[in-house]
């Protein structure tokens, strides 16, 4: 058994004996589905600086310009399919070992990968709203209309949380509640730099949750609060972890 296999084994035991297991996911879990994260070289974010395009101030000041970025992102996201990491998390939930996913992603790939209990911390790009009159639309119905407009004439905004916008209260409260009582938190593919999502691991740790981190690179969590660091691609490590849980724990959890 190599070092990674030994750590996966240890992580699988923590998951098997936990009664409340959460996963906090970030853009890294969808990189292997073809959606670049904020830190990937090249691609979307080298042409559209998130600090310039993904703020609510930028949207209010110049929605046409921000829609140039949104339209490209929409193209990438709508072509993306769940990868083995999303699918393995869906299976872990079905087996009863994963209770909730809190995702910072807006790409719907967890749901497409079979997960049901998904808390969308930063919203979802499949609906659009009017900041002026409050009317809501399906993004699919508005494709082809660029920038998409409300019947009142104003430009619509996707229901994703831009920098400078509050987290949807339900997602914020539910995540806090769950993190406060979790026994295991898997942190997958997030740099843990975006606030307040990056407070979830420390809230869980205060409750003495075991923190299992899966990332290709070390993050600010790795040497501070992570208990088990599984270094590698999410699309390889997550399925290996789920296999280990199945092998050791059988088809269903102890509780
Ligand atoms: P981030 O871009 O800040 O960090 C991504 C992390 O994932 C990095 O630590 C990187 O090392 C790691 N990573 C990259 N590829 C990986 C792989 N194959 N396997 C495992 N780890 C991998 O992402 P963030 O922390 O989620 O913060 C960025 C913000 O932008 C979030 O709100 C995020 O949801 C949003 N965003 C979302 C999407 C999406 O919906 N898919 C895409 C880009 C950005
Ligand atoms: Zn309107």
């Amino acid at each position: 058994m190599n070092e990674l296999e030994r750590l996966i084994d240890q992580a699988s035991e923590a998951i098997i004996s936990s009664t409340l297991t959460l996963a906090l996911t970030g853009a890294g879990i969808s990189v292997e589905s073809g959606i670049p994260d904020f830190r990937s070289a090249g691609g979307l974010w080298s042409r559209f600086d998130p600090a310039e395009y993904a703020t609510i101030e930028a949207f209010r000041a110049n929605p046409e310009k921000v829609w140039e970025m949104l339209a490209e992102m929409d193209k990438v996201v709508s072509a993306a399919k769940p990868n083995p990491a999303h699918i393995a998390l869906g299976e872990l939930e079905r087996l009863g070992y994963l209770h909730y996913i809190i995702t910072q992603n807006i790409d719907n790939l967890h749901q497409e990968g079979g997960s049901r209990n998904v808390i969308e911390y930063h919203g979802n790009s499949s609906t659009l709203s009017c900041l002026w009159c409050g009317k809501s639309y399906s993004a699919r119905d508005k494709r082809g209309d660029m920038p998409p407009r409300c019947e009142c004439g104003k430009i619509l905004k996707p229901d994703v949380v831009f920098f400078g916008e509050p987290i949807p209260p339900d997602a914020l409260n539910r995540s806090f509640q769950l993190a406060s009582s979790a026994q295991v938190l898997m942190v997958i593919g997030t740099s843990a730099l975006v606030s307040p999502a990056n407070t979830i691991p420390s809230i869980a740790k205060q409750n003495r949750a075991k923190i299992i981190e899966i990332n290709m690179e070390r993050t600010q969590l790795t040497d501070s609060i992570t208990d088990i660091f599984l270094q590698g691609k999410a699309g390889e490590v997550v399925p290996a972890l789920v296999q280990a849980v199945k092998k050791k724990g059988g088809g269903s959890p102890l509780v």
Side-chain angles (χ1 to χ4, degrees):
M1 211 183 252
N2 66 28
E3 176 66 1
L4 181 61
E5 286 166 350
R6 195 184 61 73
L7 290 172
I8 286 176
D9 198 59
Q10 212 179 313
S12 71
E13 277 171 14
I15 291 170
I16 288 164
S17 53
S18 159
T19 54
L20 180 58
T21 297
L22 313 178
L24 171 67
T25 63
I29 196 168
S30 295
V31 166
E32 290 160 81
S33 293
I35 306 174
D37 65 4
F38 278 171
R39 274 136 256 272
S40 303
L44 189 62
W45 304 115
S46 53
R47 276 177 294 129
F48 299 105
D49 177 2
E52 194 187 332
Y53 283 85
T55 70
I56 189 64
E57 293 80 15
F59 186 85
R60 286 185 187 279
N62 194 345
E64 283 96 344
K65 173 179 155 175
V66 171
W67 265 105
E68 289 171 23
M69 176 273 282
L70 292 171
E72 290 232 9
M73 205 176 79
D74 195 46
K75 240 190 269 166
V76 175
V77 168
S78 57
K81 298 270 177 295
N83 68 53
H86 299 107
I87 292 166
L89 290 183
E91 184 178 12
L92 200 62
E93 180 186 295
R94 274 196 306 284
L95 291 169
Y97 290 110
L98 173 62
H99 303 97
Y100 291 91
I101 294 176
I102 302 167
T103 188
Q104 300 168 78
N105 299 341
I106 48 87
D107 55 26
N108 213 46
L109 292 181
H110 285 301
Q111 291 91 331
E112 290 174 36
S115 295
R116 288 161 164 258
N117 293 327
V118 183
I119 297 171
E120 294 180 308
Y121 205 80
H122 290 159
N124 188 299
S125 56
S126 63
T127 54
L128 310 173
S129 295
C130 178
L131 296 177
W132 305 87
C133 75
K135 205 165 183 309
S136 176
Y137 299 82
S138 139
R140 192 175 304 149
D141 294 346
K142 286 282 171 187
R143 233 158 243 162
D145 183 7
M146 202 44 66
R149 287 186 187 270
C150 181
E151 60 188 29
C152 78
K154 299 287 188 191
I155 295 178
L156 293 164
K157 180 189 157 292
D159 292 331
V160 301
V161 176
F162 281 51
F163 288 117
E165 280 194 299
I167 304 302
D170 277 0
L172 187 70
N173 295 334
R174 195 84 184 99
S175 302
F176 179 78
Q177 230 174 33
L178 288 166
S180 307
S181 41
Q183 293 182 355
V184 168
L185 173 68
M186 301 160 72
V187 182
I188 309 171
T190 174
S191 61
L193 293 173
V194 177
S195 171
N198 64 356
T199 61
I200 292 170
S202 43
I203 294 167
K205 183 77 173 188
Q206 277 161 24
N207 182 55
R208 290 193 279 276
K210 203 152 232 165
I211 312 293
I212 300 168
E213 184 181 19
I214 300 172
N215 200 305
M216 294 209 316
E217 292 167 6
R218 303 178 80 79
T219 69
Q220 58 167 355
L221 302 178
T222 313
D223 294 319
S224 52
I225 72 162
T226 296
D227 294 294
I228 304 175
F229 180 53
L230 306 178
Q231 187 161 15
K233 288 185 174 179
E236 293 167 8
V237 175
V238 179
L241 178 57
V242 173
Q243 280 309 316
V245 169
K246 280 164 71 177
K247 203 163 131 200
K248 279 190 170 257
S252 59
L254 297 172
V255 285

